[in-house]
Amino acid sequence: MHSVAILVLDRVVPFDMAAPMQVFDWTRLPDGRRPYRVRLCAEAPEVPADGGLTLRVERGLEALADADTVIVPGRAEGAPPLSPAVLAALRRAADAGTRIASVCVGAFVLAEAGLLDGLRATTHWMAAERLAADFPLVEVQPDVLYVDNGQILTSAGAAAALDMCLHMIRRDLGSVVAANAARMSVMPLEREGGQAQFIVHEHPPVPRGSDLEPLLEWIEDNLAHEVTLAAMAARAGMSERTFSRRFREQTGTTPLQWLLRARVRRAQYLLENSDHTVERIGRQAGFGSPTSFRERFRKVVGTTPYAYRSAFHGRRTVPVTGP
């Protein structure tokens, strides 16, 4: 049997731990046998978990040396520093060729152990910027559900751990076994898009008090109409070159990128809250054609407008007004 060790650290997030534990435990071969043996391990017999729980764990860090796969769940905010013994055990497992995967902010544990240096990695989108800032040698990819570097894998939020685990099962045992495990988890074997579709793209920031603030508010009010760089520069009373430079200084992006994100956010809102057709929403958000709308939306959000509506329509109850 393939041995899976789930490393339970102080302030572990229970769902991050339970998701991989269940999906591997539910997996069956065509003849009904269990291909995986799942064990929890920890530095101490009792581990305080997030939510006021205390977990009793029978196996210690030595279980990492015996495992074929090690899973590192995320820890809640305010968790204590990692002990040298935990970091050393992870490094030894990696040196021995053990497959190691993290769930959500468990990526920070792998990064602190030096296991992500020079590799691509992901984590929950809310923590992606912090991971990139704290560990500059890691190439953080915030808009995917999981990253497979071969030996080292990372997943986004806890639900994305299911995607990653199903991917590992398919690697180990093939599509038939993985598809059955997906059915047991009531999950598709592959989800369309990455975690970009779950990121709340708020309206691009308007720098309060800046001389561009009235212009940016005007753009927000006129997204359904054609808004060109020349029109924006003229309204700001600047040449296009000066306007583009000033805009980047004050917003951190280009005028056209700011406009695109504002239009995508408007489209997301309408897809979630209105019953208008996707084509009409594209026009309301200022996209010139249905093709342009689909391409731009997919580039920013990571999925199609139709798939986004299917996943999120009715999520909010705020009424939509206007044309």
Side-chain angles (χ1 to χ4, degrees):
M1 296 180 72
H2 184 111
S3 174
V4 178
I6 299 178
L7 179 59
V8 182
L9 300 170
D10 281 6
R11 298 295 308 281
V12 65
V13 177
F15 187 42
D16 287 10
M17 175 190 69
M21 183 170 64
Q22 289 298 115
V23 72
F24 282 114
D25 193 54
W26 283 338
T27 303
R28 296 293 185 274
L29 296 175
D31 62 6
R33 288 181 298 124
R34 296 173 181 262
Y36 296 102
R37 181 177 62 250
V38 184
R39 297 287 186 269
L40 300 182
C41 64
E43 188 174 10
E46 292 192 352
V47 181
D50 189 39
L53 303 175
T54 298
L55 303 175
R56 292 191 60 82
V57 182
E58 294 182 355
R59 304 201 67 191
L61 295 179
E62 72 280 352
L64 272 62
D66 301 331
D68 300 297
T69 296
V70 172
I71 307 288
V72 181
R75 303 193 298 160
E77 189 173 349
L82 295 168
S83 74
V86 166
L87 296 174
L90 284 169
R91 294 180 186 122
R92 285 194 299 270
D95 290 342
T98 303
R99 182 170 64 185
I100 302 176
S102 64
V103 177
C104 196
V105 293
F108 283 81
V109 178
L110 302 193
E112 188 168 342
L115 304 186
L116 298 181
D117 289 355
L119 298 180
R120 297 175 299 118
T122 193
T123 187
H124 194 287
W125 60 269
M126 290 185 67
E129 288 188 5
R130 181 162 58 91
L131 181 64
D134 290 352
F135 302 97
L137 296 179
V138 181
E139 183 184 340
V140 178
Q141 298 189 321
D143 56 352
V144 296
L145 294 173
Y146 60 87
V147 174
D148 181 356
N149 291 289
Q151 182 189 0
I152 307 294
L153 300 91
T154 52
S155 68
L162 296 175
D163 298 277
M164 179 182 68
C165 291
L166 292 171
H167 168 73
M168 288 192 285
I169 292 167
R170 182 163 56 180
R171 267 180 47 180
D172 295 341
L173 303 168
S175 296
V176 173
V177 174
N180 184 61
R183 284 192 293 271
M184 289 295 296
S185 302
V186 197
M187 279 277 296
L189 186 54
E190 289 187 359
R191 280 196 282 169
E192 182 178 0
Q195 69 168 325
Q197 62 188 294
F198 304 108
I199 297 174
V200 179
H201 294 285
E202 300 296 348
H203 290 289
V206 177
R208 299 301 174 190
S210 78
D211 55 3
L212 291 179
E213 183 177 348
L215 170 68
L216 299 181
E217 293 176 348
W218 173 80
I219 295 173
E220 290 278 3
D221 292 338
N222 289 274
L223 291 175
H225 307 293
E226 182 179 9
V227 179
T228 65
L229 177 62
M232 288 187 279
R235 191 169 186 87
M238 307 176 195
S239 68
E240 291 184 26
R241 182 174 181 179
T242 300
F243 172 69
S244 295
R245 177 175 53 79
R246 185 77 59 81
F247 195 98
R248 180 179 284 278
E249 289 173 352
Q250 295 193 25
T251 68
T253 188
T254 68
L256 295 182
Q257 282 297 315
W258 198 96
L259 176 63
L260 171 62
R261 293 297 293 271
R263 282 178 165 156
V264 167
R265 182 66 193 98
R266 176 68 57 81
Q268 284 181 294
Y269 182 87
L270 292 172
L271 288 167
E272 293 169 12
N273 296 285
S274 80
D275 292 321
H276 300 163
T277 66
V278 170
E279 290 74 16
R280 181 180 177 184
I281 288 173
R283 293 194 300 271
Q284 290 174 305
F287 293 95
S289 70
T291 300
S292 172
F293 177 37
R294 288 192 299 270
E295 291 176 351
R296 297 290 187 177
F297 192 91
R298 179 184 281 277
K299 182 177 181 180
V300 173
V301 183
T303 190
T304 66
Y306 291 97
Y308 186 88
R309 163 167 274 178
S310 177
F312 294 102
H313 186 256
R315 185 176 67 179
R316 297 180 180 176
T317 57
V318 180
V320 177
T321 58

